[in-house]
Amino acid sequence: LDILIDIFSGRDDVRLHICGLTKEEKKILKFKERSNIFDYGRIDVNSDAYLELVNKCSYIILPSCSEGFSTSVTTGMLHGLIPVVIRNTGFNRAGDHAIFLEDYRVEYVNNKLNDLSSADPQDLFKLSRKVYDFAQKNFRLEAFEENFRNIMTGLRTEI
């Protein structure tokens, strides 16, 4: 998040929506209010406020190399948000349903944001739909239960 705050603090052409940031984390990050950075604090993913938020966004970005498979990213994907994540942090199986960052340095991520912000809206819509369908098939509780049942009975399926 510190990388994203650094980048978005120097830009006015893109907006960053942050969920789940605590007061303590804000202090550590030396978070400053900006007109293009929105902090929602903890937000209920089953609320209308969350639905309004995901409808404003195209991407869910997590440029962290120290966190594994993030349920916040999968939750965003279940709503059609396109994941932008570091390679080898648990999302490799998503294949072409994710955008992979090869580096976490500010300059690299900033350049990637330039590419993402200039994407064709029709291409974004198509990818968002693919992400949504993939997530519905693979990340819903029913899919987890089926995969778990298959593992326990010796039938294994791949996603």
Side-chain angles (χ1 to χ4, degrees):
L1 185 56
D2 58 329
I3 295 166
L4 294 175
I5 290 172
D6 284 349
I7 293 169
F8 282 79
S9 291
R11 297 182 66 159
D12 291 323
D13 62 320
V14 289
R15 292 179 298 278
L16 177 64
H17 299 272
I18 303 169
C19 297
L21 192 60
T22 65
K23 289 180 183 179
E24 294 79 23
E25 291 167 328
K26 278 180 152 181
K27 286 180 187 176
I28 292 169
L29 291 169
K30 298 176 183 155
F31 181 81
K32 294 178 183 148
E33 297 293 326
R34 292 219 2 116
S35 62
N36 66 325
I37 300 176
F38 306 90
D39 174 34
Y40 298 88
R42 299 228 182 263
I43 189 167
D44 180 354
V45 297
N46 294 312
S47 68
D48 289 339
Y50 182 75
L51 292 177
E52 288 175 25
L53 176 58
V54 297
N55 285 325
K56 291 179 188 179
C57 300
S58 298
Y59 304 100
I60 184 162
I61 183 168
L62 183 65
S64 174
C65 56
S66 63
E67 296 176 55
F69 191 79
S70 168
T71 57
S72 62
V73 173
T74 59
T75 301
M77 291 174 72
L78 284 164
H79 293 276
L81 295 180
I82 301 163
V84 180
V85 294
I86 295 281
R87 189 173 301 284
N88 298 322
T89 55
F91 284 93
N92 289 12
R93 287 186 177 179
D96 62 352
H97 300 97
I99 295 170
F100 293 103
L101 300 171
E102 303 298 334
D103 196 338
Y104 58 87
R105 291 188 198 110
V106 170
E107 183 178 333
Y108 173 85
V109 176
N110 192 35
N111 288 335
K112 193 66 164 184
L113 284 175
N114 288 336
D115 296 341
L116 297 174
S117 66
S118 64
D120 179 87
Q122 286 301 317
D123 292 340
L124 278 179
F125 177 79
K126 290 175 189 173
L127 181 54
S128 173
R129 187 65 204 182
K130 282 178 53 176
V131 167
Y132 174 84
D133 291 342
F134 176 83
Q136 293 297 314
K137 180 180 176 190
N138 293 287
F139 299 142
R140 293 180 49 85
L141 183 57
E142 295 83 5
F144 171 79
E145 289 174 355
E146 182 179 341
N147 285 335
F148 186 77
R149 191 173 13 264
N150 289 340
I151 290 168
M152 296 307 290
T153 61
L155 302 172
R156 185 171 174 134
T157 61
E158 294 292 326
I159 62 169

